[in-house]
């Protein structure tokens, strides 16, 4: 029983409109309700301990329950109308984006093809070919490699051991 609460209630003046008898009845009812609350808290604590013991014996853990709750919540989200509408909208947006990128890629490819066939590009390509042949010079035995600065790739440089 909560004696501190009764002490405060006993010291407070009676509410206007209540007789002394009514006030005593209300105080008795208040004390009874407070006792019931204490009893219910004790019963609830005992039930929670028993529940915990049962879960432990069944091998259920808080983490397992959390996983199950999250799984159920995710399922509930997926079947909700808002999720379905959002998924449909994003799917449509993805399809439109894909189509737009495909069209843009085709346009770029076509423009690059047109540019490659232009006289300006062909002239540029010819000049690059001419410069390459001047830089590479005469090729020995049809090889595309540049001549080795040391003379021969098979012989190590003097003073340097191979790996």
């Amino acid at each position: 029983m909560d004696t501190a609460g009764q002490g405060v209630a006993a010291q407070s003046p009676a509410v206007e409109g209540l007789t002394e008898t009514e006030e005593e009845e209300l105080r008795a009812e208040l004390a009874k309700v407070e006792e019931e609350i204490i009893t219910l808290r004790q019963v609830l604590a005992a039930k929670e301990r028993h529940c915990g013991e049962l879960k432990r014996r069944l091998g259920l853990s808080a983490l397992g329950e959390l996983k199950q709750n999250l799984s159920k919540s995710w399922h509930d989200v997926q079947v909700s109308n808002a999720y379905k509408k959002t998924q449909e909208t994003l799917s449509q947006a993805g399809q439109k984006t894909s189509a737009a990128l495909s069209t843009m890629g085709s346009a770029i490819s076509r423009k690059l093809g047109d540019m490659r066939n232009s006289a300006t590009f062909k002239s540029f390509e010819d000049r690059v070919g001419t410069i390459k042949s001047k830089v590479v010079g005469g090729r020995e035995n049809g090889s595309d490699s540049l001549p080795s600065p040391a003379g021969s790739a098979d012989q190590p440089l003097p003073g340097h051991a191979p790996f």
Side-chain angles (χ1 to χ4, degrees):
M1 197 190 270
D2 189 5
T3 56
Q6 286 182 335
V8 170
Q11 294 174 358
S12 62
V15 178
E16 286 186 36
L18 289 180
T19 65
E20 209 173 291
T21 307
E22 290 173 330
E23 184 179 348
E24 286 176 18
E25 288 174 358
L26 289 175
R27 288 186 190 282
E29 186 178 348
L30 175 61
K32 182 181 174 188
V33 170
E34 287 176 340
E35 283 181 32
E36 289 174 355
I37 290 172
I38 291 169
T39 302
L40 289 172
R41 284 184 180 148
Q42 291 170 345
V43 169
L44 178 61
K47 294 279 186 186
E48 286 176 337
R49 282 191 302 273
H50 184 65
C51 179
E53 177 63 23
L54 291 174
K55 286 180 181 180
R56 186 190 62 75
R57 290 178 66 190
L58 289 170
L60 301 176
S61 67
L63 181 59
E65 286 185 55
L66 179 63
K67 286 180 184 178
Q68 185 178 5
N69 288 343
L70 287 175
S71 178
K72 184 185 180 318
S73 296
W74 178 241
H75 175 73
D76 291 347
V77 165
Q78 286 179 316
V79 298
S80 72
N81 287 334
Y83 180 84
K84 288 179 180 178
K85 287 179 182 178
T86 302
Q87 185 180 30
E88 184 179 315
T89 302
L90 290 176
S91 176
Q92 290 173 355
Q95 291 171 356
K96 289 178 182 179
T97 301
S98 177
L101 290 174
S102 176
T103 302
M104 188 173 74
S106 297
I108 290 172
S109 179
R110 189 173 46 253
K111 287 290 184 187
L112 287 174
D114 293 348
M115 188 175 86
R116 184 162 190 193
N117 293 330
S118 71
T120 304
F121 187 82
K122 289 203 180 287
S123 172
F124 176 74
E125 193 174 35
D126 290 342
R127 287 183 185 163
V128 168
T130 303
I131 292 171
K132 178 182 174 190
S133 65
K134 286 181 180 177
V135 169
V136 172
R139 296 186 184 135
E140 298 175 357
N141 301 328
S143 169
D144 278 343
S145 63
L146 292 173
S148 173
S152 173
D154 294 337
Q155 298 176 351
L157 292 174
H160 292 88
F163 298 106

